Amino acid sequence: MALDETTEELARLAARGDHRALGELLRRIEPDILRHCGRILPYRQDAEEACQDTLLAVARNIGRFEGRARFSTWLHIITANCARTTYRSLKRRSAEQSSDELPVQRPDVARVSVIAGSRLDLLDAMEALEAEKPDLAQALVLRDICQLDYSEVAEQLGIPLGTAKSRIHQARKYVQGALGDAYGF
């Protein structure tokens, strides 16, 4: 999600309390957020739900944006977190509904959401990584989902560059192990 300088300036103004700037900011970033959520979640309505959650989180928390990093970096993190939260919520609802219905079949991971560009098995692996090793999950989300470069990951997490690279490497190994030998990065 590369945002232009006008959008970055709107974010700075909104963070200082400018309500007009916030409204314009939300209008401008919505299509990018929806596209980004669509890469993470397999169904459009789920991506739309995550997009709305992200816009709400931005509106509620814009005052916390300090402008030390680019707004687009801050927005990437919020978007990825909201999409993953939406996925967990959908998974929980599905489990609750399926207990009364037919047994749940594990999706064919080779075919799940190929069009959307994400796989449910990968989201499950990321959820497990986050539960066991949250520091590794943060680094992996910033690098592989938000597509920040290594130095931006290090800056965002407040760690040395070498530590960021190590965490990303370890996280990828963990996820690859969770997915099995058939999947590689």
Side-chain angles (χ1 to χ4, degrees):
M1 230 183 307
L3 302 175
D4 62 19
E5 286 306 314
T6 302
T7 306
E8 294 285 340
E9 180 59 25
L10 284 170
R12 287 188 284 277
L13 292 171
R16 288 186 240 139
D18 185 331
H19 295 290
R20 273 202 164 129
L22 177 61
E24 178 62 18
L25 175 68
L26 295 175
R27 186 191 66 72
R28 291 184 114 198
I29 63 176
E30 184 175 11
D32 289 329
I33 292 171
L34 182 58
R35 247 187 325 279
H36 194 71
C37 290
R39 285 188 221 132
I40 298 171
L41 295 163
Y43 299 105
R44 181 162 178 86
Q45 66 193 51
D46 300 340
E48 289 171 350
E49 181 179 333
C51 177
Q52 291 303 311
D53 291 345
T54 302
L55 291 170
L56 185 59
V58 169
R60 285 182 175 161
N61 297 302
I62 192 68
R64 294 181 185 166
F65 174 64
E66 297 172 352
R68 284 184 274 146
R70 293 186 58 81
F71 173 72
S72 58
T73 303
W74 188 76
L75 182 60
H76 274 299
I77 294 165
I78 292 174
T79 302
N81 287 340
C82 286
R84 289 171 41 226
T85 299
T86 298
Y87 172 70
R88 284 192 293 270
S89 173
L90 293 168
K91 187 175 170 184
R92 187 174 44 255
R93 280 187 254 161
S94 175
E96 290 169 359
Q97 291 172 351
S98 66
S99 64
D100 300 332
E101 299 170 8
L102 298 173
V104 177
Q105 294 180 342
R106 183 143 175 94
D108 176 2
V109 295
R111 295 181 18 207
V112 171
S113 193
V114 174
I115 294 170
S118 66
R119 294 193 333 238
L120 297 179
D121 62 331
L122 181 57
L123 291 171
D124 286 338
M126 286 295 298
E127 189 174 342
L129 175 64
E130 185 173 38
E132 289 184 34
K133 302 178 182 195
D135 290 345
L136 299 184
Q138 281 182 322
L140 186 66
V141 165
L142 291 173
R143 176 67 184 127
D144 290 352
I145 295 177
C146 298
Q147 300 176 337
L148 301 182
D149 65 36
Y150 290 102
S151 60
E152 289 175 313
V153 172
E155 180 183 331
Q156 192 67 36
L157 296 176
I159 58 176
L161 179 60
T163 303
K165 288 180 178 181
S166 174
R167 286 182 184 178
I168 292 163
H169 175 74
Q170 290 174 41
R172 287 176 176 162
K173 281 179 63 173
Y174 179 95
V175 169
Q176 186 175 13
L179 295 176
D181 294 334
Y183 304 101
F185 281 92

